[in-house]
Amino acid sequence: MQYSSESNYNILEDETATGKKRDWKGKKSRSNLMGKHYEGLNKRVGAPYYSKRAQRLFECAEQLWFVRDLETGKLKLKRAHFCKVRLCPMCAWRRSLKIAYHNKLIVEEANRQYHCAWLFLTLTIRNVEGRELSPSITDMMKGFNRLMKYKRVDIAKLGYFRALEITKNHKEHTYHPHFHVLLPVKKSYFTGKSYISQKDWTSLWKKAMKLDYTPIVHIQRVKGKASIDAEQIESEVREAMEEQKAVLEISKYPIKDTDVIRGHKVTEDNLDTVYYLDDALSFRRLIGYGGILKEIHKELNLDDAEDGDLVKIEEDNDEVANEAFEVMAYWHPGIKNYIIK
């Protein structure tokens, strides 16, 4: 079957408020590629489970309904079907946007209510082989809960946001699960008795995980860089900039889709990666809130960013202010892009 070029169609173009193009085309293409890998797993092991996941991925975001503001031309997504498969690049992108937006609101409210400072904590273990990945993450979840309950940590922190990230060493075929943690603390933390050094954080994590080796742990204060002239930029603004960077960093979805699938073909290495990551991430809570951040999440009446609605990301009361009208875009399998009807 022959298809015409993109020039013969009205291609979807959607931009953020800052003019950055939203990569609907790229994410949908990657989702379809992920679906092919699930089909490959079904052929390899003969499990209908993988076939069903493949079908969900192929059907993900096939049609998108927007409203366009007649004055600004701005598009806002109003309706779509997302598959919510953990490894779906389209859904992972939408989740990351939502988690980042929720965390921005929560951090701003925490600053308003508690005038807190912030720590960015990274907790790691040694790389593990694929078959060890799922049980290792289970151990890490338990270890993290133990760590947060230790008296020294409990006294020091006001709450936490925890996010799991997994990277793969493709040369050695091993996986590196680790936690990124955002911790609000009192301003007095850095000069008071509750201060925990890098060495102590490492020792506490080693104890919580019951490890027979010393893990790599990184702790840093979220603060403005010394190179920024304080006379030119107020300290509060500088700190807010750094907090925003930390929020964006920690709100990434656990795995980059480009780290799951290398290249554009179904390969044995890619199939192994999908197999082990799918097994490790299914039916897990990949992010978590505690203390004041959990309370604020509830106060703000935020929904579940992991399993909730992936259409509505941000609140926008002005979305239909200028006689907005509906725009429908559908995925064209031939030219591999979204076409506006």
Side-chain angles (χ1 to χ4, degrees), residues 91-317:
C91 295
W93 170 52
R94 299 297 294 178
R95 286 192 189 99
S96 291
L97 292 174
K98 191 160 192 173
I99 293 168
Y101 178 63
H102 283 184
N103 285 345
K104 177 178 179 291
L105 297 180
I106 292 169
V107 167
E108 289 173 348
E109 187 63 20
N111 284 338
R112 189 187 71 79
Q113 290 188 33
Y114 298 93
H115 306 285
C116 44
W118 296 89
L119 302 176
F120 193 31
L121 174 67
T122 304
L123 303 168
T124 78
I125 62 170
R126 285 177 177 168
N127 282 22
V128 297
E129 294 183 359
R131 63 178 180 274
E132 300 171 330
L133 182 58
S134 185
S136 294
I137 292 174
T138 297
D139 290 341
M140 289 179 68
M141 295 289 188
K142 293 176 180 177
F144 180 81
N145 290 336
R146 280 193 289 267
L147 177 67
M148 291 297 105
K149 291 176 182 177
Y150 286 158
K151 187 175 181 180
R152 286 194 66 186
V153 176
D154 191 46
I155 291 174
K157 67 176 174 61
L158 296 174
Y160 66 81
F161 170 75
R162 169 195 54 74
L164 173 69
E165 182 178 14
I166 304 169
T167 55
K168 182 179 179 181
N169 184 321
H170 286 269
K171 288 184 178 180
E172 298 181 1
H173 301 286
T174 58
Y175 298 83
H176 181 55
H178 53 282
F179 287 135
H180 291 301
V181 188
L182 198 59
L183 298 167
V185 295
K186 293 180 180 179
K187 296 275 188 178
S188 60
Y189 168 83
F190 303 98
T191 56
K193 294 181 179 179
S194 62
Y195 178 78
I196 303 175
S197 68
Q198 167 106 19
K199 181 179 179 181
D200 288 343
W201 275 113
T202 302
S203 177
L204 289 167
W205 177 238
K206 178 180 180 180
K207 177 184 174 183
M209 284 298 297
K210 304 177 182 178
L211 300 174
D212 59 2
Y213 61 89
T214 300
I216 296 175
V217 172
H218 182 66
I219 183 76
Q220 71 181 71
R221 182 178 182 178
V222 179
K223 61 178 181 179
K225 297 179 180 178
S227 60
I228 300 177
D229 189 345
E231 291 183 0
Q232 294 179 351
I233 304 178
E234 292 292 335
S235 62
E236 291 84 357
V237 176
R238 193 167 66 247
E239 288 179 6
M241 289 166 61
E242 292 303 310
E243 284 170 10
Q244 183 73 355
K245 289 179 184 177
V247 165
L248 292 174
E249 174 67 24
I250 203 171
S251 301
K252 295 176 183 174
Y253 200 62
I255 313 102
K256 297 177 183 177
D257 62 88
T258 51
D259 200 38
V260 179
I261 296 175
R262 305 294 291 269
H264 303 282
K265 296 181 179 179
V266 178
T267 66
E268 290 302 310
D269 182 49
N270 285 341
L271 288 175
D272 285 342
T273 307
V274 173
Y275 174 81
Y276 288 121
L277 287 174
D278 180 85
D279 176 62
L281 298 180
S282 293
F283 308 109
R284 286 192 191 275
R285 300 296 302 175
L286 306 182
I287 63 172
Y289 296 90
I292 65 169
L293 302 189
K294 184 175 183 179
E295 294 170 4
I296 292 171
H297 188 284
K298 187 175 181 180
E299 288 173 12
L300 296 176
N301 197 30
L302 301 175
D303 67 350
D304 187 345
E306 282 196 77
D307 297 318
D309 181 15
L310 295 180
V311 173
K312 190 175 183 180
I313 301 298
E314 300 183 17
E315 298 291 340
D316 187 352
N317 295 325

Side-chain angles (χ1 to χ4, degrees), residues 50-66:
Y50 294 118
S51 179
K52 291 177 181 178
R53 294 225 156 175
Q55 190 61 36
R56 286 169 61 187
L57 281 153
F58 292 141
E59 294 174 354
C60 184
E62 282 195 307
Q63 296 180 335
L64 307 170
W65 282 266
F66 299 87

